[in-house]
Amino acid sequence: MHQEIKFEIIGRDADSRARAGVLHTARGVVETPVFMPVGTAGTVKAISQEQLERLGAQIILANTYHLYLRPGHEVVRQMGGLHRFMSWPRAVLTDSGGYQVMSLKGLGRVTEDGVSFRSHLDGSAHFLSPELAVDIQNALGSDIMMTLDECVEYPASHETLHRAVKLTGRWARRSKEHWARYQESGIRNQELGEEERAAPHSTVDSGPLIPNSQSLIPALFGIVQGGTDKGLRRESAEEIIEVGFDGYAIGGLSVGEPKSETYEVTDYTAALLPADRPRYLMGVGTPEDLVECVARGIDMFDCVMPTRNARNGTAFTSQGKLVVKNAAYAKDESPLDPACECSVCRRYTRAYLRHLFLAHEMLGAMLTTSHNLYFYLDTLRKIRQAILSGGFQEYRSRIRAGP
Amino acid sequence: MHQEIKFEIIGRDADSRARAGVLHTARGVVETPVFMPVGTAGTVKAISQEQLERLGAQIILANTYHLYLRPGHEVVRQMGGLHRFMSWPRAVLTDSGGYQVMSLKGLGRVTEDGVSFRSHLDGSAHFLSPELAVDIQNALGSDIMMTLDECVEYPASHETLHRAVKLTGRWARRSKEHWARYQESGIRNQELGEEERAAPHSTVDSGPLIPNSQSLIPALFGIVQGGTDKGLRRESAEEIIEVGFDGYAIGGLSVGEPKSETYEVTDYTAALLPADRPRYLMGVGTPEDLVECVARGIDMFDCVMPTRNARNGTAFTSQGKLVVKNAAYAKDESPLDPACECSVCRRYTRAYLRHLFLAHEMLGAMLTTSHNLYFYLDTLRKIRQAILSGGFQEYRSRIRAGP
């Protein structure tokens, strides 16, 4: 019934759990380990889809919660799905919305059924269940859907973490069962009739608008919770694996715990997950974190850091973070990173970028976003290449040693 | 002594003063009539230099006042001039700063010597004279410098306008004389020694940073004032022509007067200006205004409209203005302009652009800016082609008839 996502492992590091793979999605191939730029509201902030393609992004993340509220998943469905709506031909992973709802604090209430919450936009009342999260992601036309989970802040009591683990487990089962009903009925992505689904809606005569891809089956990933408690991580992993998913995510990290704990829990949890399925570490992290977590067996990452920091004027470089507004760069004709080959570093100086930020000009955020995403995507490409060529430990040592 | 800018007229419309030309600047050829995107602070807002090149912009406008205050013209000079600082290889016209100082209202005071004003950024006290305006523009490495003028708001008394015309005339003479001293002394763009000027400062090993071009002589344009008073326009034009400049601008229009007056004064004033020199109408206007003012003999335009309106979510199209936020476009899969061949119209829908603006996403401003500039630049290309092929009156009638 359930067509499994195809994930091939094509190379391994001999001295760690690092591996290189190919994830076949409904919209093309994703080479792992991979970094997914965050496109919360159907746009990766301050960069265009053309530029993302040029940077080599193979998959981006979009947010169920945000798109449900605005423009609404029914609008996106009617526009032919998210790929067509935003004109992005490659893969999209949709976050389930659980993390956002949890971070709303006073605006949300968790029950067995799901989450009641008020919109951060207009205060309107909403309810999100594991089933609805699947419905929404299906309407969006996601390539990789995430189950609704309960993400808990750090620090949390054992009782709170345990309750979240059990609820996440029950929700995972409900998500899987609901998704199975879609597949049994043959309804996918759209509730439209077959003819409508086959015909592009566009009134545009020319150009590469994105066709619907309803013939392909999205993947559904489960999420392991349990905070920094290894016993709970094991309990959660066993439950989620028992339900069975196309891939497995480690949630509830990078929520305030010390970095050593992030690494340790990632190490511990990744080892519990099926070796033949992609492992996704949610919301992590710095370039160094990516290398360290690849070594612990992670295949997929997302993080707002490269894009958010860019808008604040912080660049990631081979020499570490660079706060481009600093007075030291007022007359610095170097590029953001002299070792970087991206289009921004080939053309613009630190002095100019600093001026743009001080003058509150959008181009500052645009160029730094482009550079930071290049840096992240390029880091993952280098990691992958190092794994395939047997040089991963050397690469890791170099990154660990720092600039 | 004074090397004149080369301006060739290569075609004329038989039934109007419209003409097509080629303006040879220190940084390449500008085909006229031309629209100059406004890059106030050394960046055309929400678009990169690569994109401007791709759109075919041959010349952009930058602002003396803004760059003097931030990052400071000495910083720009030390960075090798504005072209190199912002990595823009093509021509730059610099506005003199008079308009900005005038529009500061209570923050500025005009005397015979120049303008005392306080910075809108930090309240610090500054003084701008006709000579300093030349010094600054020279430090910036402008290709076309504008003389400092006194721009008067609409409506204004005859006395106020007359005073501004006379002051503008005296300042024009001082500007010309000051610029002549530069040329006599052989000092251009930089105050650095010859060796330093010849060597690029960049620490960048590769890539197309912009070389200095100190061997080329910038042009200096005079500005005609006089509001909507034809007698004063004639008086101003005669004075400015008597001083003698490489090109002539009509200032003080598009400041609140009725459009019929804009056209009439443009018509009247353009006819007074030397036929063999470029004529630049400052701060005008809509696409229709451009066609009408080309017919009246104008060769060069600048206006913030395409970029500013874009950031507010208004697109210029072959069917008129389109306010993309309108609810009518929530599910509209058409591009901004179905008749447009720009990269934005080939890829993105109105529905998506509306979503971006409602979600306050930068990509909305970025894409609409790109489209609007394409529309303006393309309109001027079509006007020029129509003049050269004898079809200008037909083109003008079509634009006049409206969508």
Side-chain angles (χ1 to χ4, degrees), chain A residues 13 16-18 33 263 284-298 301 375-376 379-380 382-384 386-387 391-400:
Chain A
D13 173 49
S16 74
R17 281 203 296 275
Y263 289 174
V284 175
T286 65
E288 297 72 33
D289 293 342
L290 305 189
V291 180
E292 285 307 312
C293 294
V294 164
R296 288 160 173 83
I298 301 300
F301 300 90
F375 188 81
Y376 265 68
T379 295
L380 270 293
K382 283 172 178 158
I383 289 173
R384 188 170 193 271
I387 295 168
F392 179 70
Q393 290 305 329
E394 191 196 322
Y395 182 84
R396 185 184 180 190
S397 303
R398 213 162 60 235
I399 298 296
R400 268 185 175 171

Side-chain angles (χ1 to χ4, degrees), chain A residues 267-329:
Chain A
D267 189 59
Y268 180 82
T269 311
L272 303 172
L273 300 175
D276 61 345
R277 297 296 167 95
R279 304 183 190 117
Y280 162 29
L281 179 58
M282 304 180 83
V284 175
T286 65
E288 297 72 33
D289 293 342
L290 305 189
V291 180
E292 285 307 312
C293 294
V294 164
R296 288 160 173 83
I298 301 300
D299 307 297
M300 302 167 69
F301 300 90
D302 80 282
C303 190
V304 295
M305 254 191 223
T307 40
R308 181 175 291 166
N309 284 13
R311 297 196 302 285
N312 297 332
T314 299
F316 289 94
T317 80
S318 59
Q319 303 298 302
K321 280 193 203 174
L322 186 144
V323 180
V324 73
K325 275 187 201 177
N326 281 352
Y329 306 125

Side-chain angles (χ1 to χ4, degrees), chain A residues 50 53 201 347-348 361, chain B residues 45 50 53 333 347-348:
Chain A
E50 293 89 310
E53 286 185 271
H201 299 186
R347 180 153 193 164
Y348 301 99
E361 288 284 353
Chain B
K45 289 182 195 298
E50 294 88 311
E53 286 185 270
E333 285 201 287
R347 181 152 193 164
Y348 301 98

Side-chain angles (χ1 to χ4, degrees), chain A residues 135-171:
Chain A
D135 290 339
I136 296 170
Q137 293 176 82
N138 194 48
L140 296 174
S142 175
D143 301 300
I144 301 177
M145 306 185 294
M146 303 302 297
T147 54
L148 188 65
D149 62 334
E150 186 181 2
C151 185
V152 174
E153 284 179 285
Y154 179 90
S157 69
H158 185 272
E159 191 194 334
T160 301
L161 284 171
H162 190 241
R163 188 185 45 73
V165 161
K166 302 313 281 185
L167 187 64
T168 295
R170 292 191 296 276
W171 285 2

Side-chain angles (χ1 to χ4, degrees), chain A residues 41-42 45 49-50 53 70-71 78-79 85 87 201 203 209 331 333-334 347-348 352 355 358 361, chain B residues 41-42 45 49-50 53 70-71 78-79 85 87 201 203 209 331 333-334 347-348 352 355 358 361:
Chain A
K45 290 184 196 297
Q49 280 71 306
E50 293 89 310
E53 286 185 271
R70 186 170 57 194
Q78 288 169 46
M79 296 295 97
F85 180 61
S87 188
H201 299 186
T203 58
L209 279 182
K331 299 180 187 174
E333 285 202 284
S334 322
R347 180 153 193 164
Y348 301 99
Y352 181 60
H355 166 66
L358 292 185
E361 288 284 353
Chain B
K45 289 182 195 298
Q49 279 72 305
E50 294 88 311
E53 286 185 270
R70 186 170 59 195
Q78 288 168 47
M79 295 296 97
F85 180 62
S87 189
H201 299 186
T203 58
L209 280 181
K331 299 181 187 175
E333 285 201 287
S334 321
R347 181 152 193 164
Y348 301 98
Y352 180 59
H355 165 66
L358 292 185
E361 289 284 354

Side-chain angles (χ1 to χ4, degrees), chain B residues 26-49:
Chain B
R27 267 115 179 158
V29 146
V30 174
E31 294 170 306
T32 64
V34 69
F35 178 78
M36 304 182 281
V38 176
T40 303
T43 162
V44 178
K45 289 182 195 298
I47 195 161
S48 70
Q49 279 72 305

Side-chain angles (χ1 to χ4, degrees), chain A residues 86-265:
Chain A
M86 68 180 287
S87 188
W88 174 249
R90 301 181 185 171
V92 172
L93 178 146
T94 46
D95 199 356
S96 64
Y99 178 81
Q100 278 70 35
V101 169
M102 303 312 152
S103 58
L104 287 174
K105 305 262 172 70
L107 292 172
R109 198 171 60 88
V110 178
T111 63
E112 184 62 32
D113 264 6
V115 193
S116 301
F117 64 98
R118 291 196 172 273
S119 161
H120 71 285
L121 300 174
D122 62 5
S124 55
H126 298 270
F127 178 76
L128 187 63
S129 67
E131 291 80 7
L132 184 56
V134 168
D135 290 339
I136 296 170
Q137 293 176 82
N138 194 48
L140 296 174
S142 175
D143 301 300
I144 301 177
M145 306 185 294
M146 303 302 297
T147 54
L148 188 65
D149 62 334
E150 186 181 2
C151 185
V152 174
E153 284 179 285
Y154 179 90
S157 69
H158 185 272
E159 191 194 334
T160 301
L161 284 171
H162 190 241
R163 188 185 45 73
V165 161
K166 302 313 281 185
L167 187 64
T168 295
R170 292 191 296 276
W171 285 2
R173 193 169 298 277
R174 282 167 56 186
S175 304
K176 172 84 180 285
E177 286 168 359
H178 190 64
W179 181 229
R181 283 194 288 275
Y182 268 89
Q183 294 180 272
E184 283 159 19
S185 67
I187 294 172
R188 291 194 298 274
N189 290 23
Q190 305 283 326
E191 293 179 338
L192 304 174
E194 193 63 44
E195 304 77 36
E196 284 173 276
R197 283 193 271 140
H201 299 186
S202 178
T203 58
V204 185
D205 290 331
S206 62
L209 279 182
I210 309 307
N212 295 326
S213 301
Q214 288 88 349
S215 59
L216 301 159
I217 300 178
L220 181 65
F221 279 24
I223 304 175
V224 176
Q225 288 290 348
T228 54
D229 185 308
K230 286 185 185 171
L232 291 178
R233 283 283 171 185
R234 172 173 292 276
E235 190 173 336
S236 183
E238 285 172 354
E239 286 188 15
I240 302 297
I241 293 165
E242 199 201 314
V243 178
F245 289 97
D246 300 309
Y248 295 89
I250 302 175
L253 286 180
S254 216
V255 292
E257 76 283 356
K259 181 152 292 188
S260 58
E261 297 228 44
T262 314
Y263 289 174
E264 201 175 324
V265 173

